Amino acid sequence: MSKFLFTRLYKHTLIAAKSLDSSLTFHNKSFRASEARKFMRFLPTEFKNSVWLRSVDCEEEEITCEWIVRASFARAFSESEKLNFSDNCFAAMRMLNERNEMLQSKPLSSFQKPKHVHLSVGQVFRHKKYGYRGVVIAHWPQCPIEDEEERDQWLQTWGPFHDGNDQAFYSTLVDTKDRPLGFKTIAAEENLEPLDDVESPIEHPELDAYFDGFEYGHHKLKKKLLDRFPEDW
């Protein structure tokens, strides 16, 4: 890729990032940091996995999407790296534009994900106790079983949970490569380890009902699911 084309790619990606940052100014600091962390999955692997970047607190440092784009391009690229990174950039621009449209079309009150719900719909995880992989399809700030007696019985049966009911719970699809019967489960956050840089999607017979594909380590939400969980992408 020529220097001219690579420079144009940088400029267009930067414009998209600035536009999203502008839409994010109306949201709180925590939400802006969450958006920046999600955008980081489009970074070059070498930069994304750097010890320095992994130690950055997006909220404390007030990291923006514009900063991420500038930092990503601020290195020497070989010709093969330029071609690989260009794919990242086109995907990033598409996602930035889609995200910007959503932020502008929905009221601030639509974005109410509790801060202690750390995993996102579409995120791949590994279960700490049982070792299987899965993907999140929904989440709640506490155990979703409303009846107190039934909830206590469920927590006792599937626990013990160190954090009890005072943590996020997730509806998940279990990877049939690990559990062949196509299980759907509810899991406590303390038992889920989020997986970054996943190269392949999970497999499950109901996967297409929730997602429109898989890219950059994340299952892409269908519109109906994104409307329900607008902070997850």
Side-chain angles (χ1 to χ4, degrees):
M1 177 178 288
S2 69
K3 182 178 180 180
F4 172 75
L5 289 177
F6 198 61
T7 300
R8 284 183 61 84
L9 182 62
Y10 165 66
K11 289 181 177 179
H12 283 291
T13 309
L14 191 63
I15 289 170
K18 286 181 176 180
S19 181
L20 181 58
D21 286 335
S22 177
S23 296
L24 288 170
T25 57
F26 300 101
H27 293 264
N28 61 45
K29 189 176 180 180
S30 175
F31 182 76
R32 295 197 300 270
S34 175
E35 293 291 290
R37 280 191 293 269
K38 291 182 176 71
F39 180 54
M40 281 184 180
R41 68 175 180 263
F42 294 98
L43 297 181
T45 302
E46 299 80 3
F47 183 73
K48 184 167 49 179
N49 292 337
S50 67
V51 175
W52 172 78
L53 185 62
R54 287 186 176 274
S55 67
V56 167
D57 185 322
C58 289
E59 184 171 347
E60 183 66 26
E61 301 291 335
E62 297 193 29
I63 298 299
T64 64
C65 294
E66 177 186 353
W67 180 91
I68 291 170
V69 172
R70 290 186 183 279
S72 299
F73 278 86
R75 57 184 291 270
F77 286 85
S78 67
E79 286 304 313
S80 61
E81 286 176 329
K82 284 182 180 179
L83 290 174
N84 290 334
F85 188 39
S86 65
D87 291 336
N88 290 57
C89 289
F90 287 122
M93 280 192 286
R94 186 190 72 248
M95 184 56 70
L96 286 167
N97 290 329
E98 289 178 1
R99 195 64 185 155
N100 194 31
E101 288 179 9
M102 167 164 279
L103 289 171
Q104 292 183 13
S105 66
K106 289 184 175 292
L108 293 180
S109 58
S110 300
F111 302 89
Q112 298 289 338
K113 183 177 180 180
K115 195 172 182 179
H116 71 280
V117 180
H118 295 112
L119 276 71
S120 299
V121 175
Q123 188 163 15
V124 178
F125 65 85
R126 187 178 304 283
H127 199 284
K128 295 178 182 178
K129 284 186 178 180
Y130 304 120
Y132 61 75
R133 290 199 324 160
V135 62
V136 175
I137 59 173
H139 50 67
W140 304 272
Q142 293 179 314
C143 181
I145 301 174
E146 295 182 0
D147 183 84
E148 184 176 356
E149 184 175 343
E150 289 184 14
R151 181 174 63 246
D152 291 343
Q153 183 177 357
W154 187 91
L155 292 171
Q156 184 176 3
T157 300
W158 297 103
F161 299 110
H162 180 269
D163 296 325
N165 191 42
D166 296 326
Q167 61 178 309
F169 283 78
Y170 300 87
S171 179
T172 77
L173 300 180
V174 177
D175 197 334
T176 54
K177 295 192 293 293
D178 298 324
R179 298 289 189 276
L181 298 180
F183 289 110
K184 183 186 291 185
T185 69
I186 294 177
E189 177 160 309
E190 66 182 61
N191 288 328
L192 302 184
E193 175 190 2
L195 299 178
D196 298 323
D197 301 325
V198 179
E199 295 183 356
S200 60
I202 74 149
E203 296 179 7
H204 192 280
E206 297 183 34
L207 195 69
D208 291 342
Y210 299 94
F211 303 110
D212 272 332
F214 178 85
E215 62 179 4
Y216 298 97
H218 198 87
H219 288 270
K220 187 175 172 59
L221 281 65
K222 282 185 176 292
K223 185 181 184 303
K224 64 178 182 179
L225 201 59
L226 190 57
D227 286 340
R228 182 181 172 192
F229 300 101
E231 290 171 281
D232 296 347
W233 54 284

